[in-house]
């Protein structure tokens, strides 16, 4: 018996509040009390209530709520409910952070994280099972194409669960911004159809206003070999470069290039020979745009690492050798300038294709989608890991299918990936340095969190929800990726920490490293052309007109610039890694770990800022303050 003081917090977005009445129940160890329809949630307000309860409930386990609609139902975004009264030992905290829809009853467990093992009396067993049962009805696996990982079911944003859509403020910004760029594209793009590009300088017509300093640098220096090589280390797609362990078999060197072979072998012996192989694109069907055939190449670039850290190209082969055909032409820095420039431009176009489809879409967005859906289907909100992780014409499908077949577990973990690619000791790989440091910060955060809830390896192995989550990711979402190193079970705390760190880094740092550079590196169209309109050259008799005719026309260039500018812009509603406002934990241990995580992130951010101040080309894509807390666009 006694008085309970209840605080209810509503979300901050435009339509978070509701005029509908909400019914509340308090559920304790010794009983349950229906408090009736006592709440009408209002936007950006914390509502306080006091109620007398004649029944002694004991320690509070759950708060249940149900929204009742009158003539019209308005969804309500509930952040949390806090209750103080007999048996609460202070204030009990019940996190929600989701939309309350319809008239179903929602159960909010007290915010102390619990594994199945932590609930020996099965006080929460029915709640855990029912929550996952309901979630699996909402979060359903879809299917797109054979050989691809699974997406969430749905064709439009309105098919997504409400909790996975943008909040109104971000959705409004996204919609209005998209409408504006499409309007501008329609107005200016219609004029482009009557204009043509005659010189490389004509691409200034579509160079964006408000460009970044680096984009300006790219426009002025895109022909330089040093900037060409730099992009493999620290550009929009730093995922392709690897140190050579032998001369590639596809690199056919004619007898008259014996000097080049000697140079390559010398660099190979000293460990300074690197390669970027685009063989994934070989044989991909190119698109047809407005009745005009487009073209795709599968280049190989051999580069040497200079003592000063610069990475310089030595030779470019634009296509692999074919049986019964003459060896493909090899382009060299000593070739006529226009021939060498066209070869590099083809490489940049190929890199654009792999970056957008393999490194950005597949390894960023689609993998994050698998992790998210598997988490919602396998881990109830009480689970500690749920609370941690919460924080063309067909050619594109062919590329994604090929790239999916090559997805390995090690490639998603920077310490392993950089070691496998021979980049651990390359100091000019700023992406590599920052990825390792950010991975380390996330890893220490995960280890501290895991140690709070799993005291032994046995506790990990005996957690059925955790094991189901791992299988759901590897066997279902990734379509049987255990043959590529992904685990189907978690046998130790160390293995669990590594897996969770991979999930968090993939959805935050890895996506940031391939998303944020688009505006910098692709605003100047010749540095990253979205398509090529002429076949790859088979001779070195090249003029500027040959390059211009190969590049996108003005309309294609404006379309590329429009969407790169829209998607690559800094988001006005952005939550940086570790800075989420949601408080999923009520116990002080995890809160202290999160605070330490935030402090380490701030320290790393400062270190990168100081380092960048002394660099000619600062690398900022993995600064924690610029890394979003999730994949949002």
């Amino acid at each position: 018996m006694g008085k309970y003081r209840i605080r209810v917090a509503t979300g901050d977005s435009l339509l978070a509040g509701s005029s509908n009445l909400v019914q509340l129940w308090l559920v304790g160890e010794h009983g349950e009390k229906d408090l009736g329809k006592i709440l009408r949630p209002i936007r950006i307000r914390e509502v306080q209530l006091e109620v007398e309860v004649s029944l002694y409930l004991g320690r509070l386990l759950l708060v249940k709520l149900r929204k009742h609609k009158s003539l019209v139902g308005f969804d309500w975004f509930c952040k949390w409910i806090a209750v103080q009264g007999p048996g609460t030992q202070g204030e009990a905290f019940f996190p929600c952070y989701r939309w309350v829809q319809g008239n179903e009853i929602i159960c909010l467990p007290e915010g102390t994280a619990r594994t199945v093992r932590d609930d020996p009396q099965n006080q929460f067993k029915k709640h855990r099972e029912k929550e996952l049962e309901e979630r699996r009805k909402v979060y359903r696996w879809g299917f797109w194409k054979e050989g691809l990982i699974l997406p969430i079911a749905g064709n439009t944003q309105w098919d997504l669960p409400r909790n996975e859509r943008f909040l109104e403020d971000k959705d409004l910004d996204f919609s209005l911004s998209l409408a504006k760029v499409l309007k501008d594209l329609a107005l200016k793009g219609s004029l482009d159809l009557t204009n043509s590009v005659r010189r490389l300088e004509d691409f200034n017509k579509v160079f964006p206003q408000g460009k970044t300093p680096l984009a300006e640098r790219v426009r002025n220096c895109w022909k330089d070999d040093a900037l060409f090589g730099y992009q493999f280390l620290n550009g929009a797609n730093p995922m392709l470069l690897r140190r050579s362990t032998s001369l590639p078999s596809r690199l056919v060197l004619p007898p008259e290039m014996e000097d080049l072979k000697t140079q390559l072998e010398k660099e190979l012996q000293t460990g300074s020979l690197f390669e970027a192989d685009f063989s994934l694109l070989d044989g991909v069907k190119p698109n047809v745009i407005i009745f005009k055939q487009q073209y795709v190449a599968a280049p190989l670039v051999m580069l040497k690492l200079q003592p000063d850290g610069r990475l310089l190209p030595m030779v470019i082969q634009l296509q692999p050798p074919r049986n019964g055909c003459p060896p493909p032409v090899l382009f060299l820095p000593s070739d006529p300038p226009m021939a060498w420039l066209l070869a590099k431009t083809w490489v940049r176009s190929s890199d654009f294709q792999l970056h957008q489809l393999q490194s950005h879409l597949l390894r960023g967005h689609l993998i994050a989608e698998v992790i998210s859906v598997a988490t919602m289907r396998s881990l109830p909100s009480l689970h500690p890991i749920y609370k941690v992780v919460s924080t063309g014409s067909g050619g594109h499908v062919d590329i994604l299918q090929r790239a999916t077949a090559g997805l390995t577990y090690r490639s998603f973990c920077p310490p392993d990936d950089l070691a496998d690619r021979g980049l651990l000791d390359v100091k000019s790989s700023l992406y590599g340095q920052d990825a390792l440091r950010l991975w380390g910060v996330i890893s220490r955060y995960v280890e501290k969190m895991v140690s709070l809830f799993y005291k032994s390896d046995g506790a990990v192995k005996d957690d059925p929800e955790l094991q189901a989550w791992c299988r759901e990711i590897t066997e279902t979402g990734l379509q049987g990726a255990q043959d590529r190193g992904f685990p189907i079970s978690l046998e130790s705390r160390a293995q669990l920490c590594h897996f969770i760190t991979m999930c968090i880094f993939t959805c935050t740092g890895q996506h940031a490293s391939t998303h944020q550079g688009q505006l910098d590196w692709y605003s100047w169209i010749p540095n990253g052309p979205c398509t090529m309109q002429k076949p790859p050259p088979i001779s070195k008799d090249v003029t500027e007109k040959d390059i211009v005719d190969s590049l996108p026309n003005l309309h294609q260039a404006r379309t590329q610039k429009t969407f790169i500018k829209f998607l690559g812009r800094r988001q006005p509603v952005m939550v940086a890694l570790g800075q989420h406002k949601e408080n999923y934990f009520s116990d002080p241990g995890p809160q202290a770990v999160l605070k330490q995580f935030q402090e380490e992130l701030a320290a790393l951010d400062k270190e990168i800022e100081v380092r960048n101040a002394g660099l000619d080309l600062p690398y900022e894509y993995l600064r924690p303050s610029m890394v979003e807390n999730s994949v949002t666009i």
Side-chain angles (χ1 to χ4, degrees):
M1 298 176 63
K3 181 183 293 185
Y4 287 84
R5 184 170 65 89
I6 303 171
R7 296 189 297 126
V8 182
T10 293
D12 303 330
S13 62
L14 295 174
L15 301 178
S18 174
S19 59
N20 298 150
L21 286 170
V22 177
Q23 183 177 358
L24 296 178
W25 291 261
L26 298 180
V27 181
E29 291 177 308
H30 303 306
E32 176 178 322
K33 177 62 177 177
D34 181 357
L35 304 181
K37 303 175 186 177
I38 61 172
L39 172 65
R40 195 183 300 273
I42 303 173
R43 176 179 171 255
I44 319 182
R45 278 192 58 182
E46 179 186 304
V47 177
Q48 296 194 20
L49 307 167
E50 287 192 358
V51 294
E52 290 282 347
V53 176
S54 57
L55 175 69
Y56 178 66
L57 301 175
R59 182 171 64 93
L60 289 184
L61 305 177
L62 300 165
V63 168
K64 298 196 300 186
L65 52 90
R66 181 181 187 181
K67 185 176 66 66
H68 294 264
K69 66 177 182 179
S70 50
L71 293 177
V72 181
F74 294 98
D75 295 348
W76 166 45
F77 189 89
C78 175
K79 292 167 70 174
W80 48 261
I81 296 176
V83 183
Q84 187 171 11
T88 63
Q89 296 181 344
E91 190 173 57
F93 183 75
F94 301 84
C96 183
Y97 301 107
R98 58 178 144 156
W99 289 98
V100 180
Q101 301 172 270
N103 62 353
E104 72 273 13
I105 294 177
I106 292 180
C107 297
L108 304 180
E110 193 273 324
T112 301
R114 293 177 177 86
T115 65
V116 172
R117 200 181 222 186
D118 296 330
D119 185 25
Q121 298 178 359
N122 291 327
Q123 291 176 317
F124 296 95
K125 184 174 186 292
K126 288 184 178 179
H127 164 71
R128 302 175 88 106
E129 293 173 348
K130 183 179 179 181
E131 183 179 24
L132 290 180
E133 180 184 345
E134 293 299 319
R135 288 230 206 106
R136 287 170 186 148
K137 295 177 184 176
V138 177
Y139 292 84
R140 295 173 292 109
W141 291 110
F143 178 81
W144 185 27
K145 297 286 184 180
E146 193 68 38
L148 298 183
I149 61 181
L150 297 187
I152 191 171
N155 297 316
T156 72
Q157 64 167 328
W158 306 111
D159 297 328
L160 295 176
R162 180 70 192 272
N163 290 304
E164 303 308 318
R165 301 180 211 159
F166 287 155
L167 292 175
E168 282 75 16
D169 46 2
K170 190 177 184 76
D171 185 56
L172 182 63
D173 169 74
F174 189 89
S175 300
L176 291 177
S177 300
L178 180 59
K180 182 179 183 303
V181 299
L182 291 176
K183 178 183 176 183
D184 291 344
L185 179 61
L187 292 174
K188 298 177 181 178
S190 59
L191 299 175
D192 295 335
L193 296 175
T194 61
N195 296 321
S196 60
V197 178
R198 292 183 172 84
R199 301 176 306 157
L200 290 169
E201 288 74 16
D202 289 344
F203 285 104
N204 282 306
K205 297 175 183 177
V206 295
F207 192 61
Q209 296 178 350
K211 61 269 184 187
T212 66
L214 182 50
E216 184 69 48
R217 175 75 172 268
V218 171
R219 178 173 66 167
N220 295 332
C221 304
W222 71 285
K223 298 177 183 179
D224 294 352
D225 285 358
L227 190 67
F228 175 82
Y230 177 90
Q231 293 178 72
F232 290 108
L233 290 167
N234 306 309
N237 183 23
M239 305 305 298
L240 192 64
L241 184 74
R242 61 176 55 246
R243 192 188 301 264
S244 300
T245 55
S246 62
L247 293 185
S249 59
R250 64 170 279 186
L251 183 64
V252 180
L253 295 169
E256 62 269 21
M257 288 192 175
E258 193 64 36
D259 288 347
L260 174 61
K261 183 177 180 180
T262 301
Q263 293 175 36
L264 291 170
E265 289 177 340
K266 177 183 176 183
E267 300 296 339
L268 181 66
Q269 292 299 319
T270 59
S272 56
L273 185 66
F274 290 78
E275 63 192 69
D277 192 344
F278 295 84
S279 292
L280 196 71
L281 296 174
D282 186 30
V284 168
K285 180 183 177 183
N287 207 349
V288 176
I289 301 176
I290 315 181
F291 308 109
K292 185 174 176 60
Q293 180 67 57
Q294 309 295 297
Y295 296 89
V296 175
L300 170 70
V301 188
M302 305 302 297
L303 310 102
K304 59 180 177 181
L305 185 66
Q306 300 286 82
D308 61 5
R310 290 182 303 150
L311 188 69
L312 300 179
M314 298 180 69
V315 59
I316 294 175
Q317 180 195 63
L318 291 182
Q319 296 283 32
R322 310 285 184 204
N323 289 332
C325 297
V329 177
L330 299 181
F331 292 87
L332 308 172
S334 58
D335 287 340
M338 287 299 160
W340 179 236
L341 183 60
L342 181 55
K344 290 191 295 181
T345 302
W346 264 103
V347 172
R348 295 301 312 133
S349 180
S350 300
D351 199 39
F352 181 96
Q353 311 301 323
L354 283 193
H355 166 239
Q356 295 293 8
L357 289 172
Q358 181 183 30
S359 302
H360 188 195
L361 176 60
L362 176 60
R363 297 177 59 89
H365 289 261
L366 300 186
I367 291 291
E369 193 167 313
V370 167
I371 294 169
S372 176
V373 174
T375 299
M376 298 305 291
R377 288 175 57 86
S378 304
L379 298 180
S381 55
L382 266 172
H383 201 284
I385 304 307
Y386 170 87
K387 295 172 181 284
V388 173
V389 176
S390 288
T391 57
S393 65
H396 62 294
V397 175
D398 192 7
I399 294 171
L400 285 172
Q401 288 169 331
R402 298 180 186 192
T404 298
L407 288 179
T408 66
Y409 184 44
R410 288 179 64 87
S411 72
F412 284 91
C413 308
D416 301 325
D417 175 57
L418 292 166
D420 292 345
R421 294 196 286 135
L423 296 175
L424 280 177
D425 61 345
V426 179
K427 294 181 180 179
S428 53
S429 173
L430 305 177
Y431 158 79
Q433 292 181 20
D434 293 355
L436 286 174
R437 293 196 288 179
L438 184 57
W439 172 277
V441 172
I442 295 172
S443 179
R444 288 189 291 275
Y445 164 67
V446 170
E447 289 169 1
K448 291 183 176 72
M449 280 292 190
V450 166
S451 69
L452 293 176
F453 302 100
Y454 295 93
K455 302 303 181 184
S456 67
D457 292 342
V460 172
K461 290 190 286 187
D462 294 341
D463 187 335
E465 293 168 342
L466 198 63
Q467 301 301 331
W469 174 61
C470 179
R471 288 194 303 274
E472 186 94 17
I473 290 176
T474 299
E475 291 189 332
T476 305
L478 297 181
Q479 292 285 274
Q482 56 266 37
D483 61 340
R484 298 191 299 278
F486 284 85
I488 56 173
S489 64
L490 299 168
E491 303 296 321
S492 67
R493 294 197 299 175
Q495 188 184 19
L496 171 61
C497 290
H498 196 75
F499 190 68
I500 298 172
T501 302
M502 181 276 296
C503 290
I504 295 176
F505 183 83
T506 297
C507 297
T508 57
Q510 193 60 69
H511 174 255
S513 71
T514 56
H515 170 77
Q516 295 198 66
Q518 296 178 95
L519 199 56
D520 291 332
W521 297 103
Y522 299 146
S523 289
W524 179 243
I525 302 300
N527 189 65
C530 62
T531 189
M532 297 293 274
Q533 299 194 96
K534 294 288 185 182
I538 56 175
S539 80
K540 299 183 180 182
D541 183 15
V542 175
T543 65
E544 180 178 357
K545 185 178 185 303
D546 294 321
I547 299 177
V548 169
D549 289 346
S550 298
L551 289 168
N553 61 39
L554 205 57
H555 182 70
Q556 293 168 334
R558 189 178 299 280
T559 301
Q560 173 180 332
K561 183 268 296 190
T562 297
F563 285 99
I564 289 298
K565 184 178 179 181
F566 172 66
L567 296 174
R569 68 194 175 111
R570 290 281 291 171
Q571 299 299 304
V573 183
M574 183 267 197
V575 179
L577 175 61
Q579 307 306 314
H580 53 282
K581 297 178 182 178
E582 296 87 352
N583 183 11
Y584 289 99
F585 293 98
S586 62
D587 31 340
Q591 292 177 0
V593 172
L594 178 60
K595 184 175 184 295
Q596 187 175 359
F597 178 48
Q598 293 169 336
E599 291 171 351
E600 284 199 54
L601 289 171
L604 175 57
D605 194 79
K606 186 64 178 177
E607 290 173 13
I608 294 176
E609 180 184 22
V610 171
R611 178 204 65 194
N612 284 346
L615 294 177
D616 180 43
L617 286 176
Y619 184 79
E620 296 199 320
Y621 305 146
L622 288 176
R623 280 188 63 178
S625 62
M626 298 183 69
V627 173
E628 287 221 50
N629 200 56
S630 62
V631 176
T632 59
I633 186 172

